[in-house]
Structure formats: structure tokens, C-alpha cells
Amino acid sequence: MKKLSLLLLVFIMAVSAFLAGCSSDTSNSGQSSKDTNGVNKLTLWTFGEQHAEFFELMADEWNKTHPDKKIQLETTTYPYDDMHNKLLLSLQSGVGAPDIVDIEISRFSNYLKGKPQLVELNDIIDPVKDKAIQSRFDIYSKDGKYYGIDFHVGATVIYYNKELLDKAGVNPDEIVTWDDFKEAGKKVVSATGKPMITIETDGPWTYWPLVVQQGSDFYDKDGNVILDNDINIKTLTFLKQLLDEKIAIAAPGGDHHAEEYYGFMNKGGAASVVMPMWYMVRFTDYMPDLKGKIVIKPMPKWTADGKRSAGMGGTGTAITNQCKNVELAKEFLAFAKLSKEANIQIWKELGFDPIRWDVWSDPALKEPNKYTEYFGDYIFDVLMSMKDEIDSPTVTENTPKMNELVVQTVLYKVLKEKSMSPEQALKNVANEMRK
């Protein structure tokens, strides 16, 4: 009997130690709590080191201005796939998720299936919605409820090499439509022997924004496949014509993030490239010899009343339903990503085009930094001129697979191999995605 009692006592002690360990782990795996000094703990997961540094900076600023609500922000940076997979498992199991998390745009819809396990953010977004680019909230929404807040607009622009345009007698301000662009390209090729533009064949960043700027997409707002519609066929046909007529070339290395591409452009390889505003850092960091030669302009239009941009890429910061102090997490998230001061810091610290357009005219955005020194201080004047023309793509749970097929099957076969017509390639992938 004594032996049985002793075994029972050992078992109880072991279970108690296990439960204590679980309780300790909970605070580190995502649950809000207070330490002995009354400081509120919030945990945050991200896949970008720069994002983590930004949130830590904003946490310091929060503590300076909110001494009665100080927070201890515990940030963890995981590899991209590891973080998104770990988050999905944590939400499905109901344990282990962080309070706040960065979710990349193409993965976001995975966390909105069924009943979202993210916290609705309408009460902090609604007060500033009229001062921000609406489409950047819509991409993280479901049934009229917002669940994520982006760092940037990702406004797509065209970067021109003014030195090459000048040699051809081309004024970039006179390139209003894509037809104008094509004609200007012929002059550039004739005068300089350089292509007017580079086109991605191993990436989506040339084709997709040109589609979105026309109000089209790969999916409609209801999630139906529209990849093979007339607009998309016409757009891909136009890009193929630019290549066939030697006005464009395929981007060296296949996409605009390849080392071969940076070296090619840094030597003045082509007269323009279409990419979002966040691509500025690639110029400053990888193409230093073009400093003072690159000008930023809106994308050419397809029609007289067409739009001149598209909001591409993004990361939605969300609050999980496992957060124990939701109100505090909301207050901090609003402070860190929605306040006017935060949007100015997003530009200063990250070099992103912030989602609040009312800061674009703030003098702080013209202050010297590596971007204004490289391009000039007019960057946000360009953005302001097209603030009502920036639609974002429709993102579904199948978007990653769709983009993979568009790149590997459509763009590769039509633009690189030239083994299939735009219409046939788009229809093949569209039909596969409709199965």
C-alpha cells in the first residue's frame, strides 16, 4: 500500500511539473501575460528581419508615449515557409499561436477559410480608412470585415533610364499610353541599340500588374478563374509583340531580382522596367551606377481614362484569436501601422510607400535619405498624382498555385520558348485551375 501511495505521489508531482512547464511555454508561444513589473507581454511572429526591427522600434515608441500601458514585445523571425506552416498548425490546433503575426499576401486567404481565426480589425481601420488606399484593406478582408494591415501600397510604377531616353530624344512625360510607349521604344532601340524594357519570363511582376491596372485579374472578386479573359489575352499578346519586335528583351536571369539582371541594368542595359515602389531598394543597393539617371513615372495607360498603377505584393499584420489581450494588441497595431507617425516611419525605416496617402505630402517624406539621394525628392508627388488609380489583385487560397502555373507554363511557353500562343497557354492553365 505504501509503495502504491509513493508511486501515486511521484505521478502527481510529475504531472504538476509537466503542467507548470506547459504554462511557462504558453507565454513564449503566443499568449499575452504580464510580468512581475506589470508590463504587458505581446508576442509577434514574422518572416522578415526588417519587419521585426520595425516593430521593436515602434514598441519602444509606444512605451515612451504610453507609460501606463508598457509592453514587452517578443518578436520571433522564422523562415518564410516555416512560419506560415507553424502558424497554420497552431491555429488549427488551437494552441501555440502568437498574439500578432505577419502573413504574406499570397498566403493570407489560407487563414480566412471557414470562420477566420484572426481578429476583426474594423474598429481600428474604419477611423483612418478615408486617409488610406482602400484596396490595401480589401485584400485582407472577408464578408466586409478586415483582418490584416499592410506595410505598403506596393504601387507599380515605371522606372526610366533618363540618360537613354535623352539620347533617343524621348520625353517620358509624353509617354501617356502603352501605344506611346511602344513608339518611344522604337526610337530608343534605333538611337541606342538598347531595348526599351525588360520583361520577366520567370516571374509575375511584368504581366500581373499590367493586367490588374485594367481592372482584370487571374480571379474575379468571387474567386472564379478569369485568367483566359480578353483583357489578359490582349495584355500577354502585347508583351509578346514587344519581344518579337525587339523593343523588349526577356529579363536576364529570368526575373527582375536575378543577379544577372542587376548587373545588366547597372550598366545601362535597358531604358525602363515596370516594378512596384518597393523595388527602389534594389536600385539603391544593387544598381549604384544608375544613381541620378533613373526617373519614376506612373505606368502608361491602356485607354484614355485608364488607370496608371496597381498595388502589388504585401504583408498583412494580423491578431490571432489566441491573443489574451486583444484590445491592447489592437491599440498597439493601430499605433504601429495605422497612425500618421507610423506611416512616416515605415518610409524612413523600410523604404516602403505607406498605405496612408495623407502622409505622402508630409515634408518628412522629402527629407534626405538613400532614396531621395538616388531618385530625387519628388517620389511621393508621383504617387499622389495617381492615388485613386491603385487597385490591388484578388488573392485566393489557390493564388500561389495559379501564379506558379502562370509563370512556369504561360510566361515560359509564350515569352521564352515562344512555343504556344497567348490565348492557348492562358486557356490551358485556366481550365486546369477550374477543375
Side-chain angles (χ1 to χ4, degrees):
M1 188 70 179
K2 287 182 180 179
K3 186 175 182 181
L4 180 61
S5 298
L6 181 60
L7 287 172
L8 181 60
L9 179 61
V10 170
F11 174 76
I12 291 172
M13 290 175 66
V15 169
S16 297
F18 172 77
L19 291 175
C22 288
S23 174
S24 175
D25 288 344
T26 299
S27 63
N28 291 327
S29 63
Q31 303 303 326
S32 303
S33 61
K34 285 189 177 183
D35 64 16
T36 54
N37 296 319
V39 176
N40 301 281
K41 290 184 180 179
L42 290 174
T43 53
L44 183 147
W45 290 359
T46 184
F47 53 89
E49 191 61 43
Q50 281 188 310
H51 293 184
E53 292 171 359
F54 173 79
F55 280 117
E56 288 163 2
L57 169 69
M58 296 310 293
D60 290 340
E61 292 301 313
W62 167 275
N63 288 337
K64 291 175 186 175
T65 55
H66 297 78
D68 57 329
K69 290 184 181 180
K70 285 190 175 183
I71 63 172
Q72 178 185 336
L73 187 67
E74 298 177 356
T75 62
T76 305
T77 304
Y78 292 101
Y80 176 89
D81 285 326
D82 290 352
M83 195 218 76
H84 286 94
N85 293 336
K86 183 179 175 69
L87 177 64
L88 199 58
L89 288 172
S90 297
L91 293 178
Q92 289 174 344
S93 66
V95 294
D99 299 310
I100 304 171
V101 62
D102 275 348
I103 304 173
E104 198 267 336
I105 184 173
S106 68
R107 298 291 191 94
F108 205 92
S109 59
N110 291 332
Y111 307 91
L112 297 181
K113 294 178 183 177
K115 182 180 179 181
Q117 293 184 301
L118 304 176
V119 174
E120 178 191 337
L121 303 175
N122 289 49
D123 54 341
I124 61 173
I125 288 175
D126 285 342
V128 302
K129 216 166 46 166
D130 62 336
K131 303 176 181 69
I133 301 300
Q134 177 64 37
S135 68
R136 301 313 285 177
F137 297 129
D138 293 340
I139 51 179
Y140 305 114
S141 69
K142 180 179 181 179
D143 300 329
K145 296 178 180 179
Y146 305 118
Y147 295 96
I149 302 170
D150 215 321
F151 283 96
H152 62 63
V153 176
T156 306
V157 294
I158 188 160
Y159 299 88
Y160 288 111
N161 184 322
K162 186 74 163 44
E163 185 176 66
L164 292 179
L165 295 190
D166 286 345
K167 288 180 179 179
V170 172
N171 181 352
D173 292 325
E174 294 178 357
I175 302 175
V176 178
T177 67
W178 281 108
D179 285 338
D180 296 336
F181 180 88
K182 188 174 180 180
E183 292 305 310
K186 293 176 182 177
K187 294 179 181 178
V188 168
V189 173
S190 176
T192 69
K194 302 291 180 71
M196 180 64 168
I197 191 170
T198 55
I199 295 174
E200 288 196 336
T201 56
D202 295 342
W205 297 112
T206 306
Y207 179 54
W208 201 7
L210 267 64
V211 164
V212 173
Q213 78 168 131
Q214 298 174 79
S216 185
D217 209 328
F218 301 161
Y219 290 95
D220 66 16
K221 298 300 181 185
D222 297 319
N224 301 307
V225 175
I226 57 170
L227 178 68
D228 54 347
N229 68 17
D230 290 343
I231 290 176
N232 296 359
I233 293 171
K234 177 195 71 175
T235 305
L236 187 56
T237 300
F238 176 79
L239 293 178
K240 184 177 183 299
Q241 288 172 349
L242 292 181
L243 289 171
D244 291 345
E245 297 177 28
K246 311 299 183 185
I247 296 169
I249 65 165
D255 64 62
H256 295 146
H257 297 89
E259 289 297 325
E260 301 97 310
Y261 182 75
Y262 296 143
F264 168 81
M265 285 297 282
N266 191 48
K267 296 176 182 177
S272 70
V273 59
V274 168
M275 285 296 288
M277 291 279 282
W278 44 255
Y279 194 73
M280 286 187 293
V281 72
R282 274 63 172 191
F283 277 103
T284 59
D285 291 3
Y286 303 122
M287 296 171 266
D289 294 347
L290 296 180
K291 182 178 180 180
K293 299 177 183 179
I294 300 297
V295 293
I296 299 172
K297 298 291 180 181
M299 295 167 69
K301 300 185 288 187
W302 290 94
T303 60
D305 59 349
K307 295 184 177 181
R308 299 176 296 163
S309 189
M312 306 302 294
T315 298
T317 307
I319 299 171
T320 75
N321 64 352
Q322 293 179 33
C323 177
K324 287 186 176 179
N325 198 337
V326 169
E327 290 310 309
L328 179 62
K330 280 186 179 182
E331 287 183 53
F332 173 67
L333 191 54
F335 175 84
K337 296 197 79 174
L338 291 175
S339 68
K340 189 172 183 179
E341 295 73 20
N343 275 247
I344 291 172
Q345 287 301 324
I346 283 172
W347 163 245
K348 287 185 173 181
E349 300 297 324
L350 300 174
F352 291 154
D353 47 341
I355 61 174
R356 279 187 61 155
W357 58 261
D358 65 333
V359 306
W360 296 351
S361 57
D362 193 288
L365 274 67
K366 289 183 180 289
E367 292 176 359
N369 63 13
K370 69 178 184 179
Y371 304 107
T372 59
E373 291 171 2
Y374 190 101
F375 299 100
D377 65 2
Y378 66 91
I379 298 168
F380 286 94
D381 297 336
V382 175
L383 210 54
M384 185 64 81
S385 74
M386 58 186 193
K387 77 175 181 67
D388 298 322
E389 305 174 48
I390 311 172
D391 293 333
S392 295
T394 297
V395 178
T396 76
E397 61 191 85
N398 293 318
T399 290
K401 182 180 178 182
M402 171 68 87
N403 285 355
E404 182 179 340
L405 289 176
V406 167
V407 170
Q408 294 180 357
T409 302
V410 176
L411 300 184
Y412 188 86
K413 289 187 176 180
V414 174
L415 302 180
K416 194 166 187 175
E417 282 189 347
K418 299 185 179 180
S419 60
M420 190 173 290
S421 71
E423 182 175 7
Q424 189 58 57
L426 289 168
K427 285 191 179 298
N428 287 352
V429 171
N431 289 334
E432 182 173 346
M433 292 303 295
R434 288 188 182 110
K435 292 178 182 178

